[in-house]
Amino acid sequence: LDEAGWFPEAAIAAEDIRFRTHPGFDLVAIQEALDASANEERMRGGSTIAQQLAKNLFLDGRRTLRRKLRELLLALNMEQRMSKDAILALYLNVVEFGPGIHGIGEASDAWFIKNPNQVTPREAAFLTSILPAPHMWHKKISKTNRPPIKRVNEVLNRMRIRGTLSVSEHRWSIQERLRVVPP
């Protein structure tokens, strides 16, 4: 995590805002996902970083109740055996950021030709904003050359609310031009 730059805080802001305080599952996020499903065609996740890590390491991507229960049990086991920092570090090193792009080292190099600790808050927010659907975003950005600015700004706003970014860092990050090099 020492060499991950803005990625740990951007991932928490984008994927699991209560990461530091929950036991491996987040009832608030689950309820939010259920509430949102009434208005959306496709149900969005309520998974924590530990649950996503369990899925990435041990399970397939099928959306079944059985897989979700196994994911939950694995996440609870990891939370008991590993520190939050260890879970976050492992997650950041295995999560997919596009076709064949795994971990923040490959992602920051592929999308920005930089090392993770050189990536700006806006760039880290961009990469974590594509995590729910990295293949879809890769395809869309490659075609249009337009990153998901609204989602990136939401991640930056959440980083500000969490206190990760100061007011001036947030203002600068929102205004920074995002230059991506789709791999």
Side-chain angles (χ1 to χ4, degrees):
L1 290 182
D2 294 342
E3 299 171 17
W6 291 99
F7 279 104
E9 293 301 328
I12 291 170
E15 295 290 294
D16 188 358
I17 198 80
R18 287 171 287 280
F19 172 72
R20 296 275 179 206
T21 58
H22 64 61
F25 63 94
D26 185 347
L27 290 177
V28 175
I30 293 168
Q31 185 62 54
E32 289 171 352
L34 290 172
D35 292 345
S37 70
N39 301 325
E40 298 173 4
E41 271 184 37
R42 184 173 179 242
M43 185 164 172
R44 66 180 172 102
S47 297
T48 64
I49 286 174
Q51 288 173 291
Q52 293 175 51
L53 178 60
K55 180 184 75 174
N56 280 290
L57 289 177
F58 306 114
L59 304 170
D60 60 34
R62 288 182 285 172
R63 290 180 166 248
T64 64
L65 181 57
R66 181 182 170 138
R67 200 254 2 209
K68 288 299 284 182
L69 290 173
R70 293 187 73 194
E71 177 184 292
L72 174 61
L73 293 174
L74 288 165
L76 292 172
N77 194 325
M78 282 190 289
E79 288 273 352
Q80 289 176 345
R81 296 171 183 258
M82 300 169 67
S83 70
K84 290 284 189 176
D85 283 349
I87 291 169
L88 185 57
L90 187 53
Y91 173 76
L92 290 172
N93 281 294
V94 300
V95 71
E96 187 173 19
F97 289 93
I101 304 167
H102 291 85
I104 60 172
E106 287 183 19
S108 56
D109 183 52
W111 287 93
F112 298 110
I113 313 171
K114 293 182 177 182
N115 291 323
N117 60 0
Q118 297 172 317
V119 169
T120 68
R122 186 162 187 81
E123 293 166 341
F126 161 73
L127 286 171
T128 57
S129 75
I130 66 172
L131 286 176
H135 286 266
M136 184 270 298
W137 279 114
H138 178 268
K139 189 175 183 179
K140 192 173 188 176
I141 294 164
S142 294
K143 278 185 179 178
T144 65
N145 203 29
R146 297 180 73 193
I149 297 300
K150 181 180 176 188
R151 174 75 174 132
V152 171
N153 289 342
E154 288 172 5
V155 173
L156 289 168
N157 290 340
R158 292 180 103 185
M159 290 173 74
R160 172 65 194 115
I161 290 166
R162 288 191 74 245
T164 303
L165 293 175
S166 68
V167 172
S168 61
E169 287 171 326
H170 178 260
R171 190 178 311 119
W172 180 84
S173 296
I174 290 287
Q175 294 172 356
E176 178 189 8
R177 182 163 183 222
L178 186 60
R179 293 181 175 97
V180 297
V181 181

